[in-house]
Amino acid sequence: MTTNASAESALRADLDQALAETIDALFELQRSDGSWEGRLSPSAGSTADVVIAMHLADPEGCADLIERGVDFLLRTQGEDGGWGDDVDTGSTLNGTALTVAALALVVPERAAENIRRGWRRVEEFGGMEAVRDVQQCSLTVLVHFYLALAGLVSDEDLLRVPIEIALLPAPLRKKLTFAMPTAMAWGLMAADRPGHGRMRRAINRAATPKAIEYLVGLVGFEGPNGGFVESPMMSANVVIGLTIANQRPDIVDHCLKYFRATIKPEGAWSVTRDLEVDATNFITVGMQHAGLGDDARVRKGLDWIRGAQRPEEFIWTGAPSGGWGWGLPSGWPNSGNTGDAVIALSGGGADVSDPQVRQGADWLLKQQNYDGSWSCFAQVGRIASLDPSFALVGKARSPKVLYGPCAVMSAEAVSALGLSGACPQGDPRLVQAYQWFRSIQRADGGIDNKWYTGRVTGTGSVLRALGDIGLGHTEVARRGVGWLRLNQNPDGGWGQTPAPDGPSTAEETAMAMLGLVAVGTDPLDPVLVRGARWLIDNRNDAALWNPSLVGVYFLELLYRHDHTANGYALQALARYREALNA
């Protein structure tokens, strides 16, 4: 008994010290406006895309940026000849083929040896047969086109992006979500090619003004400093399509300025602009659970979150007013960021009597899918098979992140609706959400998700939501707890399953901890003690956590985000301490 008491006392002391150090470190990173930056990792694929766009649109005016991008690509080539989704990560077919195409188009002589090594790696992946197969190359349309543009392969069998998407009824067109700007710009590019028959020319004439109208409208939403989908990669796709189609040089110039504003110190671009709303939401909630809800710096973060709410409807996805996106000025309103913002405001003492909380909760309720779930951007109706994103790649992988429901998004919405008081316990909409969680739970108790790798984050997120709304005793919760117990790593953390013994990560360990604590697991249960120890012992020299490649951006492009790791780990340790003290 004495030994156990001593161990508990030591754990409490280490926990208090870790939280104090982490909180001080995060306050040091807080920006003067109350927010946190939320830095995304640089991406070879995104950088290659942007370099190609600048080379086609304005090689002289962008010469300095092109040089910095090329230098980044040359110095980050892996030992196997390829490029991955981040520096020093395993090479991927997407990243390697995109980079080879960019170097061959822009600096073919200077990078001849890099191109040769990179192409050998592409062939090891399966060569053009793999590139043409969306199951092996999720960016098959982009990759094939860029390789053909660089003269490395034939454009035979190159998939054409159909501009007639612009003529679809609005309810269907909105389901393409953030692939739509690329689809419109590349549709214009395809329409500009010679050799069309009479019917095709008529369709092109009818669709062209609609496609341009769509792009112009988004620029208006973005304002002078935004980019398409707040993403350098998506903006690059628009530049390439419009430049080749000889359309709208003003939009091209708008995007070129955006590239200059979003280049990272490494000379590279991320897949999207930094996730400042995510970061501020995550850290603010962690500070609240650490007992700092009344701290002026935390209140300032809440004020910033309030200011990031979008007052207008987002007609491009059919979303109502009152949502939050991932960054300013033009992150698209979505269920995850909206749910997290409502959770943060609720933790600050606001409820549905607060107009902004009410509007955010109403946003979530209007976006709930017919089956009780939530997707990221667009609401899914019963006729889900009409998703037009199939038109881009011809197979079912596209809706994986563009359209379908997600356990993490749904869990964040459920927590927000419960914690804010918008939906009391037993509300039919929460009951329907629970039934959806039950329907997607695997036989072994784990729950997949679409926006993070592996299965831990989905399972932990759902457990946290169930605990937040008083359903921690249910069958879904019990089975989820069992799955997390069985899949804890020997070192006490959690990693990417179903891969056997996936290395423990801060993000997944934190999400597992949050779920277990929320459903009422005894804080002295070894599964939680070992998880807390892992988080305490695996901080870096700055008293924070190193992010891992667990975030899914689009069609299997992965990213690291510093404050997904820091914010969730802070929440996990703070909620764990609350449970110990209770």
Side-chain angles (χ1 to χ4, degrees):
M1 183 67 71
T2 303
T3 301
N4 289 340
S6 299
E8 181 184 343
S9 177
L11 174 62
R12 287 176 178 274
D14 292 345
L15 180 59
D16 287 342
Q17 180 179 350
L19 280 170
E21 292 170 349
T22 294
I23 288 166
D24 287 344
L26 288 171
F27 276 139
E28 285 293 321
L29 296 175
Q30 189 177 25
R31 299 190 291 197
S32 60
D33 62 4
S35 67
W36 280 266
E37 179 182 15
R39 186 181 189 276
L40 248 68
S41 53
S43 161
S46 181
T47 301
D49 214 343
V50 172
V51 165
I52 291 170
M54 294 186 297
H55 174 76
L56 294 176
D58 187 9
E60 294 184 3
C62 298
D64 59 324
L65 298 182
I66 293 172
E67 175 58 28
R68 292 179 65 187
V70 166
D71 180 66
F72 170 82
L73 296 174
L74 293 177
R75 72 173 186 270
T76 57
Q77 188 171 21
E79 292 184 3
D80 64 359
W83 287 264
D85 291 337
D86 195 0
V87 177
D88 297 327
T89 62
S91 61
T92 65
L93 179 54
N94 282 328
T96 303
L98 285 172
T99 303
V100 166
L103 295 176
L105 181 68
V106 179
V107 286
E109 296 182 3
R110 173 180 164 191
E113 177 60 18
N114 303 84
I115 295 167
R116 184 189 66 78
R117 292 178 56 220
W119 187 250
R120 184 174 62 193
R121 183 70 184 114
V122 171
E123 291 179 329
E124 290 171 354
F125 278 116
M128 282 308 298
E129 183 177 348
V131 166
R132 292 189 181 99
D133 181 2
V134 70
Q135 301 299 335
Q136 299 182 67
C137 183
S138 59
L139 298 179
T140 178
V141 179
L142 272 65
V143 170
H144 189 177
F145 178 74
Y146 293 154
L147 289 173
L149 192 66
L152 295 176
V153 301
S154 166
D155 63 0
E156 184 180 359
D157 299 326
L158 182 66
L159 293 175
R160 180 185 68 84
V161 178
I163 194 173
E164 50 266 34
I165 288 176
L167 299 175
L168 286 172
L172 289 181
R173 196 168 64 242
K174 291 170 182 175
K175 303 309 178 188
L176 263 172
T177 63
F178 65 33
M180 198 62 171
T182 296
M184 292 297 192
W186 283 43
L188 290 167
M189 178 175 68
D192 186 62
R193 298 179 69 177
H196 295 305
R198 181 182 301 176
M199 180 63 72
R200 169 55 55 190
R201 290 197 299 271
I203 292 173
N204 292 347
R205 283 195 301 270
T208 292
K210 293 285 188 181
I212 293 174
E213 178 185 4
Y214 180 93
L215 296 172
V216 170
L218 268 180
V219 171
F221 169 80
E222 295 160 4
N225 300 317
F228 283 96
V229 202
E230 201 58 271
S231 164
M233 190 168 194
M234 295 295 177
S235 299
N237 295 339
V238 171
V239 168
I240 291 165
L242 292 180
T243 299
I244 294 177
N246 295 306
Q247 293 278 3
R248 298 307 297 246
D250 57 324
I251 296 179
V252 171
D253 289 341
H254 169 80
C255 292
L256 295 179
K257 293 176 183 176
Y258 180 73
F259 298 150
R260 191 167 292 279
T262 54
I263 189 170
K264 291 190 168 295
E266 297 93 334
W269 287 265
S270 299
V271 288
T272 191
R273 183 176 270 188
D274 295 329
L275 306 182
E276 56 188 346
V277 176
D278 295 74
T280 307
N281 285 336
F282 296 160
I283 293 171
T284 297
V285 172
M287 295 289 187
Q288 291 166 346
H289 283 290
L292 296 171
D294 292 328
D295 188 290
R297 295 165 293 184
V298 178
R299 305 302 301 184
K300 193 171 185 179
L302 279 176
D303 290 340
W304 186 91
I305 291 170
R306 287 184 178 276
Q309 188 176 27
R310 301 299 309 205
E312 67 278 87
E313 295 181 5
F314 192 67
I315 61 173
W316 294 275
T317 61
S321 61
W324 278 263
W326 59 90
L328 300 177
S330 54
W332 288 19
N334 64 84
S335 299
N337 291 122
T338 301
D340 287 329
V342 171
I343 291 169
L345 295 177
S346 300
D351 59 19
V352 287
S353 64
D354 180 287
Q356 287 191 267
V357 174
R358 177 75 266 175
Q359 193 176 24
D362 286 345
W363 191 99
L364 292 168
L365 291 171
K366 291 174 182 175
Q367 290 293 96
Q368 188 174 20
N369 296 328
Y370 77 97
D371 59 4
S373 67
W374 278 264
S375 302
C376 186
F377 299 109
Q379 184 188 44
V380 176
R382 290 187 179 276
I383 312 179
S385 61
L386 293 179
D387 176 13
S389 55
F390 283 104
L392 278 183
V393 296
K395 293 190 180 180
R397 181 168 297 194
S398 179
K400 178 179 179 183
V401 294
L402 296 187
Y403 187 64
C406 174
V408 171
M409 297 283 171
S410 300
E412 288 165 333
V414 165
S415 288
L417 293 171
L419 295 172
S420 68
C423 291
Q425 194 171 29
D427 186 285
R429 292 160 294 190
L430 295 185
V431 172
Q432 190 183 22
Y434 173 80
Q435 294 300 333
W436 182 77
F437 290 142
R438 185 178 181 182
S439 73
I440 65 165
Q441 189 171 34
R442 294 166 49 87
D444 60 8
I447 297 176
D448 289 308
N449 78 104
K450 300 189 187 316
W451 291 90
Y452 293 94
T453 60
R455 201 163 288 151
V456 173
T457 303
T459 308
S461 294
V462 170
L463 288 178
R464 182 181 64 166
L466 294 179
D468 286 344
I469 62 171
L471 295 179
H473 61 285
T474 56
E475 177 191 0
V476 172
R478 178 180 58 79
R479 294 177 59 219
V481 169
W483 186 87
L484 287 175
R485 286 184 181 279
L486 289 174
N487 285 277
Q488 187 175 29
N489 284 339
D491 62 7
W494 280 265
Q496 295 177 23
T497 55
D501 298 322
S504 296
T505 71
E507 296 91 338
E508 289 160 299
T509 301
M511 289 309 304
M513 288 278 296
L514 283 168
L516 291 169
V517 169
V519 297
T521 305
D522 183 345
L524 295 180
D525 187 311
V527 72
L528 280 176
V529 172
R530 294 173 64 237
R533 270 288 169 206
W534 190 94
L535 287 175
I536 292 169
D537 295 341
N538 281 274
R539 294 173 299 144
N540 57 31
D541 292 341
L544 298 173
W545 290 267
N546 295 326
S548 299
L549 205 64
V550 299
V552 179
Y553 172 62
F554 171 76
L555 291 180
E556 300 183 356
L557 295 178
L558 305 181
Y559 64 84
R560 288 183 172 117
H561 175 222
D562 57 356
H563 290 321
T564 294
N566 295 326
Y568 275 133
L570 172 63
Q571 288 184 39
L573 290 180
R575 289 189 71 162
Y576 179 65
R577 185 170 68 177
E578 286 179 327
L580 275 175
N581 293 338

